[in-house]
Amino acid sequence: MQHYLIRFNVNMAKKKSDAPQHTSVVNETSLAFFEKYINNPSPTGFEWKGQELWLEYLKPYIDTHYVDNYGTAVGIINPKADYKVVIEAHADEISWFVNYITNDGLIYVIRNGGSDHQIAPSKRVNIHTDNGVVKAVFGWPAIHTRLGGDKEEAPTLKNIFLDCGCTSKEEVEKLGIHVGCVITYEDEFMVLNDRYYVGRALDNRAGGFMIAEVARLLKENNVKLPFGLYIVNAVQEEIGLRGAEMIAHKIKPNVAIVTDVTHDTQTPMINKITQGDLACGKGPVVSYAPAVQNNLNKLLIESAQKAGIPFQRQASSRSTGTDTDAFAYSNDGVPSALISLPLRYMHTTVEMIHKEDVDNVIRLIYESLLNIQAGQDFRYIK
Ligand SMILES: [Zn+2]
């Protein structure tokens, strides 16, 4: 709604500039990369193809890079600098594992990350095998055959199953499918009403995209940072922040700014009393949580205010549930903060994010970096 009004104002009468004007960042080339990156499967523990795509996009904007044993990718600007600042997102996509193949050729699955059993029935999937992708569908009994029972059964891990068109276990195995093959949905990227990006696992490949865009902006604006910048696309967040734990130990950063998604709470069946009041289109979300270092958080907020970037606030008890926790509690304690992107329908295949929020998260990370000094001491008491 606001976006429409702003655009109208800009076109019709430039003088009415009370409302903050939106600054676009994502361009045609970067959007083409984003689409390709989202459509590529990147299951937790099997992220390397996505990491290759990401590095390929990032390389023109960094001095050097490396990839660790489990696939976390790190692009570096000023690799020789002592003071190290991390900007981080996670690269992995929730998925399923083949767990059990019946003699009739049906396949039962287990989760790889927080995959949602409720959305599985009637979805089309890609089973990743050594011989390439094999197609299958999550079957579900017809409404006709379910009627007459005393209750409707809800989908659970015990009753959802994949059908790949085979009638025996042997036939399934001949396709290259075995226990441990990973499974992703086939749903792809789209733009909705010229306002939202929609796709599967925008959580958190949108984050990987945004930190790469920060590197692009730094390069294009010829910014010389006074510290080393580590642009980190970590693996295995969805099963417990594992990639971030590993790489935080390796980099030993002085500061970490993490970006991930958070819940938009404007759609039905979400309780604002417990989940907070956050909306797509109203800007990046800064978090209050013990793992978030308050002086670093203040720097983010002041950066947003100075640059006229809208932002929202969120509180988390105990942990943020993001890689922020992994960085904060690594090494001797790393000043860390979180910039979240509001998202609708998390862990479904139709995750939605607002285009302007994407631009604004990129801008907020970028502006915050410009305000960090080499050697900056964030301690509360010196
Ligand atoms: Zn997630």
Side-chain angles (χ1 to χ4, degrees):
M1 189 82 93
Q2 196 187 26
H3 182 40
Y4 182 80
L5 287 173
I6 292 165
R7 276 213 304 216
F8 184 80
N9 284 345
V10 170
N11 294 339
M12 301 304 289
K14 263 218 159 122
K15 58 184 180 336
K16 278 204 170 180
S17 58
D18 299 3
Q21 286 193 16
H22 180 70
T23 308
S24 296
V25 176
V26 175
N27 62 27
E28 230 174 276
T29 317
S30 52
L31 185 61
F33 160 69
F34 189 32
E35 176 163 4
K36 189 165 138 193
Y37 184 56
I38 291 302
N39 288 346
N40 173 76
S42 186
T44 303
F46 303 77
E47 302 92 344
W48 50 85
K49 183 70 211 300
Q51 296 293 63
E52 273 172 12
L53 289 174
W54 184 78
L55 276 172
E56 193 184 305
Y57 180 75
L58 185 70
K59 272 180 193 166
Y61 313 125
I62 55 176
D63 297 323
T64 183
H65 73 275
Y66 62 79
V67 179
D68 80 357
N69 289 331
Y70 278 83
T72 291
V74 183
I76 311 170
I77 296 170
N78 301 335
K80 293 214 172 90
D82 287 334
Y83 195 80
K84 299 174 186 173
V85 177
V86 158
I87 57 174
E88 194 258 13
H90 75 82
D92 55 317
E93 158 175 19
I94 54 167
S95 59
W96 303 97
F97 276 121
V98 172
N99 189 48
Y100 167 55
I101 306 168
T102 71
N103 289 333
D104 297 338
L106 297 175
I107 298 166
Y108 286 85
V109 299
I110 55 170
R111 286 181 239 283
N112 184 19
S115 297
D116 188 347
H117 47 274
Q118 292 240 19
I119 65 150
S122 104
K123 299 257 28 131
R124 298 164 194 227
V125 302
N126 293 323
I127 305 178
H128 302 272
T129 78
D130 288 344
N131 316 330
V133 164
V134 175
K135 292 284 178 186
V137 297
F138 272 110
W140 193 242
I143 183 167
H144 321 69
T145 63
R146 297 198 315 266
L147 291 177
D150 354 80
K151 62 169 175 72
E152 279 279 63
E153 252 188 282
T156 68
L157 270 190
K158 287 183 183 150
N159 62 17
I160 59 172
F161 62 90
L162 288 172
D163 189 334
C164 59
C166 294
T167 52
S168 70
K169 186 176 181 178
E170 292 67 41
E171 219 187 334
V172 172
E173 286 170 345
K174 262 192 211 135
L175 292 175
I177 297 169
H178 57 72
V179 169
C181 284
V182 280
I183 303 148
T184 54
Y185 292 115
E186 64 173 30
D187 302 63
E188 296 204 325
F189 183 86
M190 72 171 176
V191 178
L192 192 60
N193 193 25
D194 194 30
R195 186 174 295 158
Y196 289 94
Y197 303 122
V198 179
R200 47 163 240 282
L202 296 181
D203 166 15
N204 178 26
R205 294 174 309 156
F209 171 64
M210 293 188 296
I211 57 175
E213 287 294 88
V214 171
R216 178 173 69 81
L217 288 193
L218 290 168
K219 183 80 172 188
E220 287 177 0
N221 295 336
N222 221 356
V223 173
K224 300 277 172 262
L225 291 172
F227 48 76
L229 180 65
Y230 291 67
I231 303 138
V232 178
N233 209 2
V235 297
Q236 300 196 22
E237 187 271 353
E238 295 287 1
I239 48 96
L241 324 181
R242 297 309 191 187
E245 285 176 357
M246 291 185 256
I247 206 68
H249 192 69
K250 187 173 173 79
I251 297 172
K252 297 186 168 50
N254 299 91
V255 178
I257 299 172
V258 172
T259 185
D260 203 335
V261 296
T262 190
H263 301 287
D264 166 295
T265 58
Q266 308 304 307
T267 53
M269 300 192 290
I270 304 176
N271 186 346
K272 292 195 181 78
I273 293 172
T274 56
Q275 304 298 315
D277 187 5
L278 298 170
C280 286
K282 290 197 173 166
V285 179
V286 295
S287 268
Y288 293 82
V292 173
Q293 214 278 354
N294 288 295
N295 287 334
L296 177 59
N297 217 26
K298 271 186 201 146
L299 184 143
L300 301 184
I301 291 167
E302 282 163 14
S303 301
Q305 287 166 336
K306 258 198 276 173
I309 301 167
F311 66 95
Q312 310 174 71
R313 297 178 209 256
Q314 172 172 37
S316 301
S317 25
R318 295 191 67 89
S319 62
T320 68
T322 70
D323 283 341
T324 315
D325 307 331
F327 275 92
Y329 302 130
S330 71
N331 300 293
D332 303 328
V334 177
S336 300
L338 173 61
I339 300 176
S340 299
L341 176 70
L343 175 146
R344 289 185 169 188
Y345 320 124
M346 199 181 293
H347 288 201
T348 73
T349 57
V350 291
E351 294 185 339
M352 279 173 62
I353 53 178
H354 199 291
K355 287 166 81 169
E356 291 192 357
D357 292 337
V358 171
D359 290 331
N360 283 328
V361 170
I362 297 164
R363 288 181 61 218
L364 180 50
I365 298 172
Y366 174 85
E367 294 291 339
S368 300
L369 290 177
L370 300 188
N371 291 326
I372 295 175
Q373 276 137 37
Q376 189 157 347
D377 181 350
F378 284 93
R379 286 177 302 162
Y380 301 127
I381 300 166
K382 284 166 202 166

